[in-house]
Amino acid sequence: MVRAAIATACASLIASSSRALAQAWPSKPVRLIVPFSTGGSTDIVARLYAQRLTESLGTPFFVDNRAGAGGTIGTEAGARAASDGYTFVFGSTSSTAVSPGLYPKLSFDIVRDFVPVAQVASAPIVLAAHPALPARTVTELVALAKARPREVVFASSGNGSSLHLCAEYLKYLARIDMLHVPYKGVGPALPDLLAGHVQLLFSDMPPFVPYMKTGRLRALGVTTAKRSPLLPDIPAIAESVPGYDLAGWYGFVAPAGTPDIIV
């Protein structure tokens, strides 16, 4: 009975402490690490959530862009942050799934060093081309790349990023060879695509839409197996390259040890 009484008292104390912690949090600005540069889709979605969290919780949530190495630099910074509920990482397919599977010697372990909070969005990825590229469809792109190996140049958000692997997957399935130019995110790559220095770029939808509407970019396809309801006029790449099927997603993770009540 004594043990039961002690256990009950401990449980009550923990519950009371948790409620107090929940009521006190957040008492200062909360950092949201985005492991990619400004202007890319991950950054855009993260800033939308940061704004709404600021409004709903009454405390600033600010975005801290830590770009580079396919999202691993920013993710590492999150792994090393204090687990006090004042640092979160806005993860994506690249930083929380692809990179940990691609690089065996990372300084962090995505399972050991983080706790998942929530997946908050998913979307098809779009393959966009500069209008000067003499290919208006994926079928024409494949034919062009076969006729001119390594003359078609594609940009990516970084070596090993999910957007880089979108292109590598296309190369593999279509048996073509294109030249890869890595950047530190979609944000830095997009101006070079618009200027025609590179010819192709895979990205989530938001950065492309304004330029697609004005004709400065041409959408060749979406990466999901079927057309997107948001872009019904853009073919699925799978219509030209059978078996092609990829999608991007986003979510919050917190450093391991972050109190459950905050998570």
Side-chain angles (χ1 to χ4, degrees), residues 12 34 42 54 67 106 117 128 146 151 154 161 166 193 199 207 225:
S12 298
V34 173
T42 307
T54 297
L106 292 176
V117 179
K146 286 184 175 181
E151 289 188 20
F154 72 93
S161 66
C166 284
L193 177 64
Q199 297 163 302

Side-chain angles (χ1 to χ4, degrees), residues 153-157 163 167 179-183 189 198-202:
V153 182
F154 72 93
S156 82
S157 56
L163 303 182
L179 183 64
H180 174 218
V181 179
Y183 290 78
V198 293
Q199 297 163 302
L200 297 168
L201 176 64
F202 280 92

Side-chain angles (χ1 to χ4, degrees), residues 198-219:
V198 293
Q199 297 163 302
L200 297 168
L201 176 64
F202 280 92
S203 174
D204 302 285
M205 204 180 307
F208 285 158
V209 170
Y211 305 106
M212 288 160 49
K213 290 181 177 178
T214 59
R216 294 187 65 188
L217 291 179
R218 179 189 301 139

Side-chain angles (χ1 to χ4, degrees), residues 108-184:
F108 63 89
D109 184 296
I110 196 70
V111 175
R112 180 195 65 212
D113 296 331
F114 290 97
V115 57
V117 179
Q119 181 180 334
V120 298
S122 62
I125 297 166
V126 178
L127 171 59
H130 188 273
L133 180 73
R136 303 188 67 87
T137 66
V138 172
T139 299
E140 292 179 1
L141 170 64
V142 170
L144 178 66
K146 286 184 175 181
R148 304 177 186 176
R150 295 186 66 80
E151 289 188 20
V152 176
V153 182
F154 72 93
S156 82
S157 56
N159 282 314
S161 66
S162 61
L163 303 182
H164 172 206
L165 296 188
C166 284
E168 296 296 338
Y169 192 39
L170 176 61
K171 287 169 56 179
Y172 171 76
L173 289 180
R175 298 184 179 182
I176 57 176
D177 194 9
M178 300 185 294
L179 183 64
H180 174 218
V181 179
Y183 290 78
K184 288 186 176 181

Side-chain angles (χ1 to χ4, degrees), residues 124 205 222 224 226-233:
M205 204 180 307
V222 295
T224 43
K226 297 181 179 180
R227 298 190 183 202
S228 168
L230 299 175
L231 300 168
D233 295 331

